[in-house]
Amino acid sequence: MYISKFIIRNFRNFESAEFNFNEGVNTIIGENGSGKTNLFYALRLMLDDTLPRHIGFSEQDFCRSLGKNKWQGHWIVLTIVFDKLDLNDESQALAIHSIGHMTTDENHHKGTYTLCFRPKHQFRQELYEYSLKENKCQNDLQEILRKITVDDYETVCLCRGAAEFHDDEAYKNYIGDFDEINFPNPNDERREIYGEYLPRELNLYDEISCTFIKALRDVASDLRSYSKNPLVNLLKGKGKSIVVGTQDDLIKSIDDLNESISTLEEVIEVQVGIDGSLKQAVGTTYAPNIQVRAELPNEMDKLLQSLKLWVGDSDDEHIGQISELSLGGANLIFLSLKLFEYEKVKTDRVANLLLIEEPEAHIHTHIQKTLFDNLGKHEHKPQIFISTHSTQISSVSQISNINILSRQDKKSVVFDPTNGLDKNKTKRIERYLDAVRSDLLFAKGVLLVEGDAEQILLPVMFKEVFGLSLDEIGVSLINIGSTGFENIANIFHQDRINRRCAIVTDLDEAFITLPSNEKIDDKIQKSARASQKSGIERKASLESFCRSNECINPFFAKHTFEVDLIIESNSDLFISCLSDIYDREVERTKSKEKLESNDIAISGTESLRLAIKEGKGWFALKLADHIDECTNIPNYILEAVAWASPHMNYPSILKSAKYRLSNCYESTHDAIESGEEYDWDWESEIYNGEINFVAKYIQELPEDPLTKLLNHYDS
């Protein structure tokens, strides 16, 4: 038996979420604050016997997207769907079946366990009766809802339910439609929908083992703690298995040691001093008699629990206290103890679950990958859930076993990156994702580019021109290394990862004159014509591929990246690299003349020649050294960035505007490049909280790169 699905409704930052899980290792990735910890807590509320048995919720546990003071009447619903149930009594109690027995196909044995935090019957009854009135209205409904407090709620556990309450229609039908004021009759609950009350004889805590390993940020203090140290839990009860003779010998030794310590001359001296001071203060009549005695424990369990781990690094013979070990080493020990603790509690239960929260803290990449790989080979084959924001762990995760969390509009949403993809497409994506490229799973927006030059130069240009990094605006740039974008772009879709992905590639339109009769093409013309033909086919293919997918969009350089870069008045950028390429002045001069030519056939050919001569990646590195805030970014790149980052916020735009005004213009009262008098006291306007500052920036500087970028957001 394993968890195949987990549904959350109205709990913390989850308004409506559905997680799909598989057997083995499941990875939950997401940015900080996206809900990974809340997901684990929701699972533990239902299955972890280390949490209090009485489950209580507060007003703060309702999803914030419901609105402040708008939670009244709503339900918190947590539903676990189990798959591959067997025929034992515990599985039968959970199973969804209406004819009294389960199907014979084990792959389709499903069951549910639901926890509901809902208004008590009398309040649900009142909402139902009001919804029957002809003159019902929102004002009166709100009056009823405002009377409900969290003390008017109850927690119930149900099984065998069929409703998936993450679906808005199901929620409206079976819990309530707050907009249309329609509520179901609580006296007519459909058990096949809501589920049956959990049988008293079934205690899921006893049937399912759930071990939780918290985020390993700094566990040295826990390893020193009595209540939190896994070693203490492992040693509990071990004293009973020690033979009686051995126990008696140890206890006698402890008693003798206590007596020896208590009768030390130095201890007696302190005892006499305290006794004399006490009697002098209150007199002999009222002063109690005291002794100083050693109390080393002489009970076996307590003796074993006093044991401490002594540790050392793998390349050092020194063994010392846990505090002497690196944080990474301490975290590895803590994780190992928790895994061994899991082994200890593991029994022949119907399911064994292991929840590991962000294991990557202070652990370097090779250990992260090895740890993840070995967890999947655990001999007892537990179902494992790992939350992470490590690209190392996500890169070795099977993408079909990944759920991606993202923050949107004050709530968390869940993406299933392979939903609807066949196995072959999924395998190709998994082969592609390495530690660098797995960045795209975390980003708010993605740029897919085809080569090293774009990978190197686009982030540098954006940073130098706008004073912002692509990372800062939540955009990842991924080098596909070819023009085969379709395989990776497949995961960006409204039904999979619902984020924008811009495909940036070349149209390869010829920039040299081609004869009307291609039969007389020379070698260069033949190559240019072939590239142009491929570009036309690529454009048609990508536009067709993207047509039904609102998450991906192609953007094309008219020619190639290097050529489109130089024709944007960037000849000085290319010329600045010539001293790094040629030792002889005559060669630098000759190349400079070509780069400065207004004829694209000449300047474009020379820019490509230099790139090929040096290697496109190495030439891009040389160009990167000379990029500054005055570099002109080709329009198709600005358009792609704007499309991939609709989430870009006002503070980022304001930061970029201030950066450009401070670095690109000598003074707010000096002449700008066009020669016009520039009289704008922008610093004063920002200081005074001018709310139309960005709009005025666009008005004042219509040809500025930031203005051009922002205009693409409007379009």
Side-chain angles (χ1 to χ4, degrees), residues 675-689:
E676 297 178 6
E677 287 299 319
Y678 183 45
D679 190 13
W680 177 24
D681 188 5
W682 61 270
E683 291 175 324
S684 174
E685 288 192 6
I686 292 178
Y687 181 78
N688 292 322

Side-chain angles (χ1 to χ4, degrees), residues 31 49 90 108 157 192 234 294 402 559 668:
E31 61 199 285
D49 62 357
E90 296 81 6
H108 292 87
C157 295
E192 74 275 13
L234 290 168
I402 288 178
H559 307 291
T668 57

Side-chain angles (χ1 to χ4, degrees), residues 468-639:
L468 299 168
S469 67
L470 289 174
D471 289 331
E472 194 172 347
I473 64 169
V475 172
S476 281
L477 185 145
I478 308 297
N479 179 9
I480 297 297
S482 70
T483 57
F485 297 98
E486 288 86 345
N487 289 334
I488 297 305
N490 258 320
I491 65 175
F492 296 99
H493 188 276
Q494 50 269 29
D495 296 331
R496 291 184 280 277
I497 302 179
N498 192 8
R499 293 172 179 156
R500 287 193 176 186
C501 172
I503 296 173
V504 180
T505 187
D506 298 335
L507 190 55
D508 286 326
E509 181 179 313
F511 52 87
I512 61 174
T513 302
L514 297 179
S516 57
N517 183 0
E518 62 180 83
K519 292 182 179 180
I520 63 173
D521 285 349
D522 60 24
K523 185 177 180 180
I524 295 176
Q525 291 167 337
K526 185 178 294 187
S527 175
R529 194 184 297 274
S531 295
Q532 180 172 273
K533 182 180 178 181
S534 295
I536 293 171
E537 294 173 351
R538 185 184 314 123
K539 185 174 187 291
S541 175
L542 282 174
E543 287 178 342
S544 174
F545 172 70
C546 299
R547 190 167 293 126
S548 61
N549 188 338
E550 62 189 39
C551 291
I552 53 179
N553 203 10
F555 299 87
F556 301 93
K558 184 177 181 180
H559 307 291
T560 64
F561 174 61
E562 290 82 3
V563 174
D564 281 55
L565 183 60
I566 196 170
I567 63 177
E568 287 284 345
S569 302
N570 286 316
S571 58
D572 287 347
L573 175 62
F574 286 78
I575 292 169
S576 63
C577 298
L578 294 178
S579 59
D580 299 327
I581 299 173
Y582 294 113
D583 295 327
R584 297 169 58 195
E585 181 64 30
V586 64
E587 292 174 322
R588 291 197 293 266
T589 301
K590 184 178 179 181
S591 181
K592 179 175 180 293
E593 290 175 354
K594 292 179 180 179
L595 293 170
E596 289 177 332
S597 173
N598 292 325
D599 186 347
I600 185 178
I602 298 174
S603 60
T605 299
E606 181 64 8
S607 66
L608 270 183
R609 189 188 69 80
L610 291 173
I612 294 170
K613 177 183 183 301
E614 295 296 299
K616 286 199 169 189
W618 288 109
F619 186 58
L621 289 170
K622 289 180 169 64
L623 288 173
D625 290 337
H626 301 281
I627 287 174
D628 59 25
E629 64 273 8
C630 296
T631 299
N632 296 301
I633 301 178
N635 186 64
Y636 77 98
I637 293 174
L638 294 177
E639 192 176 1

Side-chain angles (χ1 to χ4, degrees), residues 328-432:
N331 284 357
L332 285 173
I333 287 175
F334 187 87
L335 182 59
S336 300
L337 286 171
K338 291 298 290 186
L339 291 173
F340 186 58
E341 183 182 353
Y342 163 78
E343 284 288 339
K344 180 187 174 187
V345 302
K346 193 270 175 192
T347 61
D348 294 328
R349 300 186 186 183
V350 293
N352 298 284
L353 309 176
L354 192 57
L355 279 60
I356 305 176
E357 185 179 33
E358 298 181 6
E360 65 266 18
H362 308 300
I363 300 175
H364 71 72
T365 57
H366 292 89
I367 297 178
Q368 289 181 36
K369 289 184 175 182
T370 303
L371 167 68
F372 188 91
D373 187 51
N374 288 338
L375 283 174
K377 300 173 182 176
H378 198 284
E379 63 174 309
H380 291 301
K381 301 295 182 185
Q383 190 177 14
I384 299 172
F385 304 86
I386 295 180
S387 68
T388 184
H389 40 60
S390 164
T391 57
Q392 306 300 330
I393 290 179
S394 62
S395 70
V396 293
S397 306
Q398 289 187 335
I399 197 168
S400 54
N401 289 1
I402 288 178
N403 284 265
I404 300 174
L405 282 173
S406 180
R407 296 170 58 185
Q408 292 183 4
D409 300 327
K410 299 181 181 179
K411 60 187 177 184
S412 293
V413 294
V414 185
F415 301 142
D416 181 349
T418 59
N419 181 32
L421 293 181
D422 61 44
K423 290 184 178 179
N424 289 332
K425 289 181 179 178
T426 300
K427 283 183 178 179
R428 285 196 292 268
I429 294 170
E430 287 175 344
R431 291 191 187 106
Y432 176 83

Side-chain angles (χ1 to χ4, degrees), residues 690-703:
E690 171 58 59
I691 60 173
N692 294 318
F693 173 75
V694 172
K696 191 166 184 180
Y697 184 102
I698 294 172
Q699 177 185 344
E700 293 282 335
L701 302 168
E703 297 303 316

